[in-house]
Amino acid sequence: MKGRSLTTIIIVGVLALLLFWGCGSYNGLVQQDETVKNAWNKVQSDYQRRADLIPNLVNTVKGEASFERGTLNDVINARARATSTQLNADDLTPENIQKFQQAQSQLSGSLSRLLVTVEQYPNLRANDAFRNLQAQLEGTENRIKVSRNDFNDAVQVYNTQVRRFPTALFAGIMGFRPRQGFTADAGAENAPNVDFSDQQRQPSVNFNDTTTTTR
């Protein structure tokens, strides 16, 4: 009887330890999952902030009668595609992240080309409203970079926990799957610079982050 009682106590003790460990691991995964979702919401908020600035930018540029309409149309169409590509935090699959990133990268490229083209229009460069919008866009691009990096950091911490033994044994059963972060845009390692002649202002433009610097 004593032997059976001792065995029962040991079994109950082991089960209790497993239960406490399982609860702790589960709660940790939930916390990290919520951190990823919060970081993703900030990413979308910063991208939306950029999208909200574009209509005012387009309207300001339209005031220049001779401005290239094709460049404006590219920005308008790219914005429409980017804003229509919404992604819920629960659907962060590699395929969905790629579609979202591609739509945003196309908008970044269109904005970069717009800002380069503006360099050929002195009236626009001197327009206070345009310069203010350009500064806001550049600030927003910096915010996007930070929020993307924060999101990738959160994803890395979460994925490490999901794949770590022994948590990995039940993470999938409980519905926790590895998430996809942002990757470098195709060709980012060879980002083009656009230089005008010495008689004009010479902007250096990175087509991947739409930040324009003038020297």
Side-chain angles (χ1 to χ4, degrees):
M1 293 296 293
K2 290 183 178 179
R4 291 182 179 178
S5 298
L6 180 60
T7 300
T8 301
I9 292 174
I10 292 175
I11 293 174
V12 171
V14 170
L15 291 175
L17 288 175
L18 288 174
L19 178 62
F20 283 122
W21 169 79
C23 289
S25 296
Y26 177 81
N27 290 336
L29 286 171
V30 169
Q31 181 177 3
Q32 290 166 12
D33 185 52
E34 290 301 317
T35 299
V36 171
K37 291 179 180 179
N38 183 57
W40 176 250
N41 290 336
K42 291 180 179 179
V43 168
Q44 292 205 116
S45 176
D46 286 335
Y47 273 122
Q48 185 60 50
R49 184 176 187 271
R50 179 177 70 173
D52 291 341
L53 289 171
I54 292 175
N56 289 335
L57 179 70
V58 170
N59 287 333
T60 301
V61 172
K62 279 182 179 179
E64 183 68 38
S66 61
F67 194 82
E68 300 175 15
R69 299 299 172 182
T71 303
L72 278 178
N73 289 335
D74 286 345
V75 172
I76 294 171
N77 293 333
R79 178 187 183 275
R81 287 191 294 269
T83 54
S84 65
T85 308
Q86 297 297 318
L87 183 55
N88 188 280
D90 292 322
D91 298 322
L92 299 178
T93 64
E95 296 77 15
N96 288 339
I97 284 285
Q98 184 179 17
K99 291 178 182 178
F100 181 88
Q101 185 171 350
Q102 183 179 21
Q104 297 298 339
S105 295
Q106 289 174 351
L107 178 54
S108 295
S110 297
L111 279 172
S112 291
R113 289 187 288 274
L114 173 65
L115 295 177
V116 168
T117 305
V118 163
E119 293 297 321
Q120 305 173 48
Y121 296 84
N123 290 337
L124 276 175
R125 295 204 310 266
N127 186 306
D128 289 338
F130 175 82
R131 287 189 297 181
N132 179 54
L133 287 168
Q134 185 178 20
Q136 291 186 59
L137 279 172
E138 291 172 351
T140 300
E141 290 297 335
N142 290 331
R143 292 175 58 167
I144 289 173
K145 290 179 184 177
V146 172
S147 62
R148 279 173 52 134
N149 288 338
D150 290 345
F151 172 73
N152 279 351
D153 289 342
V155 168
Q156 181 182 18
V157 172
Y158 168 82
N159 286 347
T160 299
Q161 186 63 27
V162 167
R163 298 175 59 188
R164 179 179 294 167
F165 183 85
T167 306
L169 294 177
F170 74 94
I173 298 175
M174 301 304 294
F176 294 99
R177 302 283 192 277
R179 296 185 182 276
Q180 176 68 40
F182 284 101
T183 58
D185 294 327
E189 70 279 7
N190 298 314
N193 289 327
V194 178
D195 295 317
F196 293 117
S197 64
D198 293 337
Q199 286 75 25
Q200 295 176 312
R201 300 177 66 190
Q202 300 179 337
S204 176
V205 179
N206 183 329
F207 279 8
N208 294 286
D209 65 14
T210 74
T211 301
T212 304
T213 57
T214 305
R215 62 181 186 274

